[in-house]
Amino acid sequence: MKDIPYPYDRTLYSRLFLNCYERESLVMLAERGHPVHQLLFRCLVSTDEILRQVVREQRPKYDFESGILDPGDLARIGIVKEEVEFDSYTDARGLLLDVVAQEGYAILVGDVFYWPHCPEYRTKHLVHSIVLTGYDTDTGQWHVVDDNPASLLCSYTYPEDVIAAAFDNNELRRVRYYTTKDLDPAQAEEGTREAFAALLDRFQDSYALLARVADLISCRWIAPERVIASLHGAFSLYQGSRVGLREYMRHAAEDTAVDELLDRIVRGGAEVMNQLLLAQVTGTVDARWTAEACLGLRQAELELLSRLRAVAGAAGAGGRT
């Protein structure tokens, strides 16, 4: 199975922060000229929320709830999210063909067990989504876009019966797609600025993930390898969220201080994440270095929040410490 790389912004639309469905949606919508950068203000997620969901509740990273693709945010930029559940692929086929012909793509939820490009092929059942971008009536094959084992979007081609098997034998037999409505660009931008200001008004973060990472590493109640894996997932989400927030701010306000702070945070988050990745291989982590690096990130986050509120004109200043 040959991977054919799909053209998209790999830095912005990565699996650091986005799950498969979120990344597929943003890439397809951006490709069609929709102002998806306006959705990325939701990347201002608190480190407390990352700590709660990924470390304390031990959720898989792809189950992180961030608010990206919120229906209200989509509606503001003229997009309507649709989702239809079917009993079988046969029942879904007509809608899939119609949506792909009209919109250029549809997102199908299936089981990785049946798709040869997936690492879990024939070994594990997992719910996963793929993008159908075209159907060849002469060959009876679907053109597909999905992650390769390195989590990069690639193009594949499959016989229809492979797509049908993954759909029919899945827990969630759903088709997801987007339609558009009239959009006033200026009104959309103003609405997004107001939504971001409201988010900043109510934003709180104790930054415990950054201030107490050494305590988390040395926790006696969770197996060390499990702690490191959870923290690696947490800092993946943290780094990816700030990449998305940086993109939003570059469109929303030309502020050098914000951009420099987010650059520093993205680099620092990547360094911590890489340290934790190394720890997963070696079984040991430099807790002192990690703690010092995270304290630097905490200070940068406090500066960033203050600056964001100044730029957005939001009420209040500083985080909850």
Side-chain angles (χ1 to χ4, degrees), residues 202-264:
R202 63 179 181 271
F203 185 83
Q204 291 185 322
D205 199 339
S206 71
Y207 302 106
L209 175 65
L210 303 176
R212 302 169 190 165
V213 69
D215 294 336
L216 294 168
I217 290 172
S218 62
C219 177
R220 297 181 179 180
W221 309 110
I222 306 176
E225 62 273 13
R226 192 172 168 188
V227 172
I228 297 304
S230 295
L231 286 173
H232 179 265
F235 277 91
S236 169
L237 285 164
Y238 173 62
Q239 180 196 355
S241 71
R242 274 36 183 180
V243 170
L245 181 60
R246 181 178 62 187
E247 182 70 10
Y248 170 71
M249 290 306 301
R250 285 176 175 174
H251 284 84
E254 294 183 4
D255 190 280
T256 302
V258 167
D259 202 59
E260 290 177 350
L261 280 166
L262 282 165
D263 278 345
R264 191 200 317 171

Side-chain angles (χ1 to χ4, degrees), residues 1-310:
M1 175 69 55
K2 182 179 179 181
D3 296 345
I4 302 175
Y6 192 78
Y8 69 102
D9 186 335
R10 296 182 180 182
T11 300
L12 179 58
Y13 305 118
S14 76
R15 289 295 301 274
L16 289 172
F17 181 65
L18 304 169
N19 64 28
C20 58
Y21 167 60
E22 293 166 347
R23 194 258 290 275
E24 291 162 355
S25 298
L26 290 175
V27 167
M28 291 296 126
L29 290 168
E31 185 178 274
R32 285 153 182 81
H34 298 290
V36 297
H37 64 273
Q38 293 188 42
L39 303 173
L40 299 179
F41 78 91
R42 294 286 179 189
C43 291
L44 180 62
V45 295
S46 71
T47 63
D48 283 349
E49 197 59 25
I50 295 173
L51 177 65
R52 180 182 69 83
Q53 293 189 40
V54 180
V55 179
R56 291 177 177 159
E57 295 181 1
Q58 290 287 291
R59 292 193 203 178
K61 185 169 74 73
Y62 56 78
D63 276 346
F64 182 77
E65 297 178 7
S66 67
I68 288 286
L69 299 180
D70 174 81
D73 294 344
L74 287 166
R76 194 181 300 116
I77 61 171
I79 298 170
V80 179
K81 180 167 62 175
E82 309 281 1
E83 179 168 308
V84 185
E85 187 168 356
F86 293 93
D87 291 330
S88 69
Y89 173 80
T90 300
D91 295 336
R93 187 175 188 272
L95 178 66
L96 286 169
L97 291 171
D98 288 346
V99 170
V100 170
Q102 183 172 341
E103 304 295 337
Y105 69 100
I107 298 174
L108 177 140
V109 183
D111 188 336
V112 295
F113 185 85
Y114 298 92
W115 290 319
H117 68 277
C118 295
E120 303 88 356
Y121 177 59
R122 297 299 182 188
T123 63
K124 192 173 184 179
H125 293 278
L126 285 174
V127 176
H128 183 59
S129 64
I130 62 172
V131 183
L132 303 181
T133 58
Y135 180 72
D136 191 325
T137 55
D138 293 332
T139 63
Q141 293 186 321
W142 276 106
H143 297 287
V144 172
V145 174
D146 190 24
D147 288 347
N148 70 359
S151 291
L152 300 176
L153 288 180
C154 292
S155 298
Y156 304 95
T157 303
Y158 283 121
E160 189 168 20
D161 61 350
V162 173
I163 302 299
F167 189 80
D168 288 341
N169 293 287
N170 190 38
E171 295 178 19
L172 299 176
R173 290 180 289 277
R174 295 178 182 176
V175 174
R176 297 166 175 165
Y177 61 100
Y178 297 92
T179 57
T180 58
K181 62 179 185 178
D182 291 340
L183 168 68
D184 181 332
Q187 186 176 359
E189 288 183 11
E190 179 60 27
T192 299
R193 282 194 294 268
E194 291 175 355
F196 184 49
L199 176 62
L200 282 167
D201 276 347
R202 63 179 181 271
F203 185 83
Q204 291 185 322
D205 199 339
S206 71
Y207 302 106
L209 175 65
L210 303 176
R212 302 169 190 165
V213 69
D215 294 336
L216 294 168
I217 290 172
S218 62
C219 177
R220 297 181 179 180
W221 309 110
I222 306 176
E225 62 273 13
R226 192 172 168 188
V227 172
I228 297 304
S230 295
L231 286 173
H232 179 265
F235 277 91
S236 169
L237 285 164
Y238 173 62
Q239 180 196 355
S241 71
R242 274 36 183 180
V243 170
L245 181 60
R246 181 178 62 187
E247 182 70 10
Y248 170 71
M249 290 306 301
R250 285 176 175 174
H251 284 84
E254 294 183 4
D255 190 280
T256 302
V258 167
D259 202 59
E260 290 177 350
L261 280 166
L262 282 165
D263 278 345
R264 191 200 317 171
I265 288 169
V266 169
R267 288 194 304 270
E271 289 171 356
V272 173
M273 189 182 71
N274 289 336
Q275 178 75 14
L276 292 165
L277 178 61
L278 179 63
Q280 287 183 291
V281 176
T282 63
T284 60
V285 61
D286 188 335
R288 181 176 179 179
W289 179 91
T290 305
E292 290 178 354
C294 287
L295 286 177
L297 287 170
R298 178 182 180 276
Q299 181 59 40
E301 283 285 334
L302 290 168
E303 294 175 25
L304 174 66
L305 184 57
S306 177
R307 188 63 191 171
L308 288 175
R309 283 179 165 152

